Amino acid sequence: MRKVKTADLFGHNYRMTQLSAASAFEQMYLASGGDDLLPLVSTVEFINAENGAAIRLDNAAAINANVKDRIDVMKPRLVLSALYQAVHEFNFGFLENRKAVKVPRHLTSDLDVEVRSVEGESPILATLIAEGKATLRELQEFYSLEDAFLIYDVLFIEKLNNAEIQHAAMKSAKKG
């Protein structure tokens, strides 16, 4: 489930909502091609200290009016950069500590096999949908990127355990 977090940056409060898994993967693919901050920052709301109103930062005017430090010392671009970093960490920070599952050598192959996926789409999301672990709608609306990776890891370990069992059974059958 997508988390919500409030952060205090330079005297202002911002409420961040995690991107959906589908949006986060799209952002990951786009990140290598440019520096458009809007898709990530548009998930943030500026919380007005006087009346508690939340203003979504989904356009340049809202960002220009609300992303600044309280005492007007820092350049707004630096405040925006800090906000972007906080949002990025909130959505993608878990990837730094994520440990890859090691596949035993006896379950790997030297064959060069091309894994196909829908062009421009994440193979992880495609696997979750194909295996019935999540629907496209759930990945677009409900699950965060962290949720998607967690579900994928559970599925991968289940498949790895099944492969180990099959390998042991085949080995046993050859002996007997």
Side-chain angles (χ1 to χ4, degrees), residues 145-165:
L145 182 66
E146 190 171 3
D147 296 331
F149 270 96
L150 178 62
I151 296 167
Y152 180 80
D153 288 345
V154 168
L155 176 64
F156 186 83
I157 290 169
E158 176 189 12
K159 298 279 186 193
L160 186 58
N161 288 338
N162 287 339
E164 284 279 19
I165 290 167

Side-chain angles (χ1 to χ4, degrees), residues 115-128:
V115 177
R116 292 180 194 86
S117 185
V118 178
E119 189 168 329
E121 296 299 323
S122 162
I124 291 175
L125 295 185
T127 299
L128 296 180

Side-chain angles (χ1 to χ4, degrees), residues 38-80:
L38 191 57
L40 198 54
V41 175
S42 69
T43 64
V44 178
E45 295 173 313
F46 170 81
I47 308 299
N48 187 311
E50 285 136 27
N51 61 17
I55 301 163
R56 184 162 297 280
L57 302 177
D58 59 358
N59 62 68
I63 292 170
N64 290 338
N66 299 294
V67 179
K68 53 189 169 189
D69 74 306
R70 186 177 291 275
I71 58 174
D72 287 329
V73 173
M74 295 189 69
K75 292 182 179 181
R77 182 73 179 163
L78 294 175
V79 177
L80 178 60

Side-chain angles (χ1 to χ4, degrees), residues 3-23:
K3 297 175 192 165
V4 176
K5 171 182 168 182
T6 302
D8 183 325
L9 291 169
F10 306 103
H12 292 292
N13 284 319
Y14 299 92
R15 183 171 40 232
M16 301 180 279
T17 303
Q18 284 181 318
L19 291 168
S20 70
S23 295

